[in-house]
């Protein structure tokens, strides 16, 4: 997804990935030229096909014939006869699930499996938990790619349930979407000592059985932690547990009585303000020094279609409905106004979802 500047960049990233034992490559036609570069790099490096698991994705909603063409183009770009995994790319809305289960998407997935062009079908989702739960319960999918992060663990129970049901689970971008942890702020580095924040984030997932992490490498150096942590799936050690407790404690100290506990009891808001998600960004900015990441995410709200929230804190009408529902007694409208004042800035470009 991030090696999009040319074949040489992709070749260097792929070569480094293979050298550190990575055997799962995930891409998509929606990542600009990435899929074509990956196919070329695979040919240049003469990687034996059986050594790899290859995943690509198709956006939902396309008519059957168009989807068939897209999948054949995808195979041609990658230079393979068959994908191990084909995901519905961004099963974010109920209509996407409807397309995959009963519409032309259903026919497309059935055709791809029947023709032997894909080994199994799955989905990636940025959608809400109810939608992900419904998709997992449908029995249609063999794997899922979810946002599972140390700093956003709310989907972990769904991931655990999926694993228990025998599905594959891939964590989307723990380094970047998980908090730009390749470039952590000083507070975060201090709070995670003696571990690196990215190391701790990866280990947090691996120790829970989330064994496929998408690393989003743009350069060989982005794979350094993958190299060091290859096979590190054992339970968290004492030092890691202590670092996680320290991280939590220091954030709680900085946030004081204004810490949002992320329980979601304040929902639903009659104006559809995504209160927990907005206050999570405030928690990150004030509790962990992650202001840059929080601002980046906040300013994508309303600018990324169904890939992210559509309303920011300025949508709060101060009706007060949420106030009695918060077990922490938070002054939610005031905190939302504070969140907006702290995080809003001029828009930036979004990179592929
Ligand atoms: S006070 Fe704001 S956030 Fe709370 S329910 Fe009303 S509009 Fe929603
Ligand atoms: S109810 Fe309170 S603590 Fe829970 S998510 Fe909402 S604002 Fe946060």
């Amino acid at each position: 997804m991030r090696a999009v500047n040319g074949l040489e960049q992709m070749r260097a990233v792929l070569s480094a990935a293979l050298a550190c034992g990575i055997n799962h490559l995930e891409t998509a036609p929606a990542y600009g030229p990435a899929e074509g570069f990956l196919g070329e790099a695979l040919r240049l490096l003469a990687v034996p096909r059986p050594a790899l698991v290859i995943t690509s994705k198709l956006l939902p909603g396309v008519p059957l014939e168009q989807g068939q063409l897209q999948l054949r183009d995808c195979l041609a770009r990658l230079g393979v006869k068959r994908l191990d995994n084909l995901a519905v790319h961004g099963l974010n809305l109920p209509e996407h699930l409807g397309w995959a289960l009963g519409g032309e998407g259903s026919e497309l997935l059935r055709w791809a499996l029947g023709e032997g062009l894909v080994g199994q079908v799955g989905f990636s989702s940025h959608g809400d938990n109810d939608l992900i739960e419904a998709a997992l319960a449908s029995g249609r999918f063999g794997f899922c790619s979810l946002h599972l992060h140390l700093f956003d663990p709310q989907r972990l129970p769904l991931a655990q349930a999926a694993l228990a049901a025998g599905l594959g689970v891939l964590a989307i971008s723990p380094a970047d979407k998980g908090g730009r942890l390749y470039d952590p702020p000083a507070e975060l580095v201090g709070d995670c000592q003696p571990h690196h924040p990215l190391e701790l984030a990866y280990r947090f997932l691996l120790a829970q059985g989330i064994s496929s992490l998408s690393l989003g490498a743009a350069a060989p150096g982005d794979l350094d932690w993958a190299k060091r942590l290859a096979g590190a799936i054992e339970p968290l050690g004492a030092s890691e547990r202590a670092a996680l407790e320290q991280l939590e404690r220091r954030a709680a100290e900085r946030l004081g009585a204004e810490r949002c506990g992320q329980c979601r009891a304040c929902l639903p808001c009659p104006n559809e303000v995504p209160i927990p998600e907005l206050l999570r960004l405030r928690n990150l900015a004030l509790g962990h020094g992650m202001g840059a990441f929080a601002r980046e995410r906040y300013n994508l709200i309303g600018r990324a279609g169904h890939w992210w929230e559509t309303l920011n804190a300025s949508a709060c009408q101060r009706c007060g409905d949420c106030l009695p529902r918060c077990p922490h007694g938070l002054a939610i409208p005031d905190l939302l106004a504070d969140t907006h004042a702290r995080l809003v800035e001029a828009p930036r470009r979004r990179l592929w979802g």
Side-chain angles (χ1 to χ4, degrees):
M1 170 178 154
R2 291 180 189 277
V4 291
N5 296 326
L7 176 57
E8 182 46 36
Q9 180 193 20
M10 182 63 85
R11 193 201 57 76
V13 168
L14 179 61
S15 183
L18 297 170
C20 65
I22 287 172
N23 66 345
H24 188 164
L25 307 175
E26 189 213 21
T27 187
Y31 299 157
E35 197 173 58
F37 290 152
L38 181 57
E40 282 295 310
L42 285 167
R43 278 187 283 274
L44 275 178
L45 294 171
V47 186
R49 177 68 181 87
L52 298 172
V53 175
I54 299 182
T55 298
S56 193
K57 314 192 273 297
L58 294 180
L59 294 166
V62 292
L64 174 61
E65 275 187 29
Q66 196 179 330
Q68 290 171 327
L69 274 177
Q70 287 179 0
L71 178 57
R72 289 202 187 281
D73 286 348
C74 180
L75 294 168
R77 276 191 297 270
L78 288 166
V80 298
K81 292 192 170 70
R82 175 180 178 273
L83 290 174
D84 299 282
N85 303 317
L86 172 67
V88 178
H89 191 176
L91 196 150
N92 300 336
L93 299 172
E95 50 265 41
H96 298 158
L97 183 58
W99 173 83
L101 295 185
E104 292 195 64
S106 170
E107 289 178 58
L108 174 64
L109 299 180
R110 198 166 38 244
W111 167 82
L113 286 163
E115 293 288 311
L117 300 177
V118 307
Q120 63 173 346
V121 297
F123 68 92
S124 67
S125 182
H126 301 232
D128 65 33
N129 283 7
D130 289 346
L131 181 69
I132 294 169
E133 204 168 358
L136 292 173
S138 71
R140 167 74 280 187
F141 303 108
F143 70 98
C144 58
S145 299
L146 304 176
H147 279 282
L148 308 166
H149 304 302
L150 171 61
F151 293 100
D152 186 9
Q154 55 137 336
R155 294 173 198 83
L156 270 171
L158 290 171
Q160 298 290 7
L163 286 172
L167 278 79
V169 175
L170 185 146
I172 299 172
S173 187
D176 185 62
K177 301 279 170 32
R180 294 172 53 135
L181 300 177
Y182 46 81
D183 183 23
E187 293 98 315
L188 192 57
V189 171
D191 293 354
C192 292
Q193 285 298 327
H195 300 279
H196 186 281
L198 186 52
E199 174 193 9
L200 213 49
Y202 283 155
R203 282 285 295 132
F204 172 77
L205 294 171
L206 290 169
Q208 298 186 61
I210 313 295
S211 58
S212 294
L213 312 180
S214 88
L215 304 186
D222 295 342
L223 299 168
D224 286 351
W225 279 113
K227 199 170 186 174
R228 288 190 230 177
L229 295 176
I233 57 170
E234 67 276 8
L236 293 174
S239 161
E240 292 166 323
R241 288 198 305 275
L244 288 172
E245 282 164 21
Q246 173 173 272
L247 181 65
E248 182 75 19
R249 188 174 63 251
R250 291 195 180 163
E253 286 165 6
R254 293 189 190 107
L255 287 159
E258 294 183 342
R259 177 178 175 276
C260 169
Q262 296 289 289
C263 65
R264 308 182 75 80
C266 47
L267 298 176
C269 160
N271 293 298
E272 300 189 355
V273 178
I275 304 167
E277 193 50 53
L278 300 173
L279 295 187
R280 185 180 77 84
L281 296 180
R282 186 178 184 277
N283 281 355
L284 293 179
L286 295 181
H288 296 293
M290 295 166 71
F293 173 72
R295 273 191 294 283
E296 180 182 285
R297 298 303 293 167
Y298 190 82
N299 290 287
L300 280 176
I301 294 173
R303 299 191 175 100
H306 52 73
W307 296 88
W308 181 221
E309 304 294 349
T310 53
L311 293 176
N312 71 19
S314 67
C316 171
Q317 301 298 312
R318 292 187 168 272
C319 69
D321 284 12
C322 55
L323 289 169
R325 295 199 285 259
C326 179
H328 297 262
L330 296 184
I332 293 172
D334 293 345
L335 292 178
L336 289 173
D338 179 72
T339 303
H340 190 71
R342 285 177 189 278
L343 300 183
V344 73
E345 60 182 20
R348 289 185 194 180
R349 184 179 172 269
R350 165 176 169 267
L351 181 67
W352 324 125

